[in-house]
Amino acid sequence: MRPVVPFVSSASPDERQTWRTALPQALDGIAAVKPFEDLTEEERTAARVAIVANPDPANVAALPNLVWVQSLWAGVERLMSELPADGPQIVRLTDPQMAETMSEAVLAWTLYLHRGMPRYMAQQRQKIWQDHELKSPQERTVGVLGLGKLGAASALRMKANGFNVLGWSRSEKAIEGIVCRHGRDGLLEVLGQSDFIVLLMPLTEETRGLIGQEELSACKKSASIINFARGPIIDIAALINALDNGPLDHAVLDVFDEEPLPPSSPLWDHDKVTVLPHITAPTGISSTSRIVADNIGRYFEDGTVPQAVDRQRGY
């Protein structure tokens, strides 16, 4: 009899249905994928691995003998914070295509700022016909905060498109062709020199609130910020103040403290903010399903658990 692998999700009904179709097909011959709410008590007790997509941690905890969980997303912050330290190992999604997709988004939205699109859109609304000086990419510096796989790929793509690039990480890293800084002093240096600041670090206890009033005040005059990481990394009140009173010129935000972004949020109507609905690096159903099937297949074959999140570091 094939083992049963629970699928635990609090995603939208349409998204859950998409995964409920794709995952059983990918794991055909390996395991039977079954929604958490349809599990028998015996199946809950027997489960050793589960597939999760924005799950309620209480449902994951209701599977008492899990060895590990395979997340369909790169972000696992809620599982990290709400599951016990001695709970199942947490494996985040590592999809090689995601780095390519993210670097494409970083390039697209940096060009959006570099070419002055927000200013021209505002002029259109006011029926103003006026051009502005266009600098070359070589005259612009992009600061990439977070140099994991996504950040490294994005830094190299920006470099390949002619921009000066600075990279920052909490601990020292080296990327060929990229000037890298680390630590508190390095962060302030990168902020002070960058025209466009791109956030791509994970959310941990060390990065929560990392970009606050002091850090934003250290930014270069008329700099813009792009947050493709996690909402709580930026202090939103401090961000709005920096947009209203300087030094920031614009913010492109794809992630927020609360998602969907509530209609009452002042970010919706701020003329220096571009709001995106968490769309910069969507999970590819086909590629992700194959990766999940490979991971679970190896586990049932020889007991191999993929590299899990370090609970101390948070990533």
Side-chain angles (χ1 to χ4, degrees), residues 24 41 47 63 70 108-109 122 129 133-134 148 160 170 173-174 178 196 207 229 246 251-252 269 277:
E41 192 61 39
L63 303 170
Q70 170 70 68
W109 290 100
W129 184 279
E133 177 190 6
L134 175 62
R170 288 180 53 235
K173 289 192 176 180
I178 305 296
F196 310 117
T207 62
V252 176
D269 298 315

Side-chain angles (χ1 to χ4, degrees), residues 3-5 7 20 23 71 124 133 146 164 181 188 190 195 224 241 261 272 282:
V4 172
V5 174
F7 174 57
R20 287 179 181 181
L23 291 170
S71 175
Q124 178 182 339
E133 177 190 6
N164 297 311
R181 299 288 184 259
L188 296 179
V190 171
D195 298 288
S224 295
N241 180 64
L261 186 65
K272 293 185 177 181

Side-chain angles (χ1 to χ4, degrees), residues 212-213 215-217 219 222-223 235-250 270 272:
Q213 188 65 54
E215 292 74 24
L216 293 169
S217 297
C219 290
S222 297
D235 181 326
I236 291 300
L239 175 65
I240 292 175
N241 180 64
L243 290 167
D244 289 342
N245 303 303
L248 291 188
D249 182 66
H250 200 84
H270 200 291
K272 293 185 177 181

Side-chain angles (χ1 to χ4, degrees), residues 46-80:
R48 297 295 183 269
V49 56
I51 303 169
V52 302
N54 190 32
D56 182 339
N59 289 340
V60 178
L63 303 170
N65 294 309
L66 284 181
V67 175
W68 63 289
V69 297
Q70 170 70 68
S71 175
L72 297 178
W73 295 346
V76 292
E77 296 84 12
R78 190 178 175 197
L79 286 174
M80 292 287 293

Side-chain angles (χ1 to χ4, degrees), residues 7-228:
F7 174 57
V8 190
S9 176
S10 297
S12 69
D14 287 346
E15 186 173 0
R16 287 201 304 274
Q17 186 55 50
T18 298
W19 286 116
R20 287 179 181 181
T21 300
L23 291 170
Q25 292 175 353
L27 274 82
D28 185 38
I30 299 172
V33 180
K34 194 169 182 180
F36 172 82
E37 54 270 24
D38 295 341
L39 296 171
T40 66
E41 192 61 39
E42 181 180 0
E43 288 169 337
R44 293 189 184 192
T45 302
R48 297 295 183 269
V49 56
I51 303 169
V52 302
N54 190 32
D56 182 339
N59 289 340
V60 178
L63 303 170
N65 294 309
L66 284 181
V67 175
W68 63 289
V69 297
Q70 170 70 68
S71 175
L72 297 178
W73 295 346
V76 292
E77 296 84 12
R78 190 178 175 197
L79 286 174
M80 292 287 293
S81 64
E82 296 189 28
L83 288 181
D86 61 353
Q89 297 182 69
I90 301 169
V91 177
R92 62 194 296 186
L93 178 66
T94 303
D95 184 348
Q97 180 60 38
M98 187 174 290
E100 178 71 14
T101 302
M102 179 61 81
S103 68
E104 177 186 79
V106 170
L107 175 60
W109 290 100
T110 299
L111 290 174
Y112 165 84
L113 296 168
H114 169 61
R115 297 299 299 251
M117 299 301 181
R119 175 183 287 181
Y120 288 117
M121 290 172 67
Q123 287 183 187
Q124 178 182 339
R125 289 191 291 269
Q126 300 174 58
K127 302 179 181 178
I128 296 173
W129 184 279
Q130 180 181 349
D131 66 342
H132 301 277
E133 177 190 6
L134 175 62
K135 294 184 177 182
S136 69
Q138 290 78 11
E139 297 175 277
R140 302 280 206 174
T141 297
V142 179
V144 178
L145 308 187
L147 296 176
K149 291 181 179 180
L150 302 185
S154 296
L156 291 170
R157 189 153 189 167
M158 300 309 300
K159 185 77 172 179
N161 280 271
F163 291 94
N164 297 311
V165 181
L166 296 174
W168 177 86
S169 54
R170 288 180 53 235
S171 57
E172 187 173 2
K173 289 192 176 180
I175 300 174
E176 186 175 356
I178 305 296
V179 176
C180 298
R181 299 288 184 259
H182 68 282
R184 176 67 180 174
D185 291 343
L187 175 62
L188 296 179
E189 178 184 345
V190 171
L191 292 175
Q193 295 182 22
S194 298
D195 298 288
F196 310 117
I197 301 156
V198 183
L199 275 60
L200 286 171
M201 73 281 281
L203 177 63
T204 67
E205 288 307 310
E206 287 74 23
T207 62
R208 185 179 296 274
L210 178 70
I211 307 300
Q213 188 65 54
E214 182 179 353
E215 292 74 24
L216 293 169
S217 297
C219 290
K220 184 177 181 178
K221 184 178 179 181
S222 297
S224 295
I225 196 163
I226 299 173
N227 189 6
F228 289 167

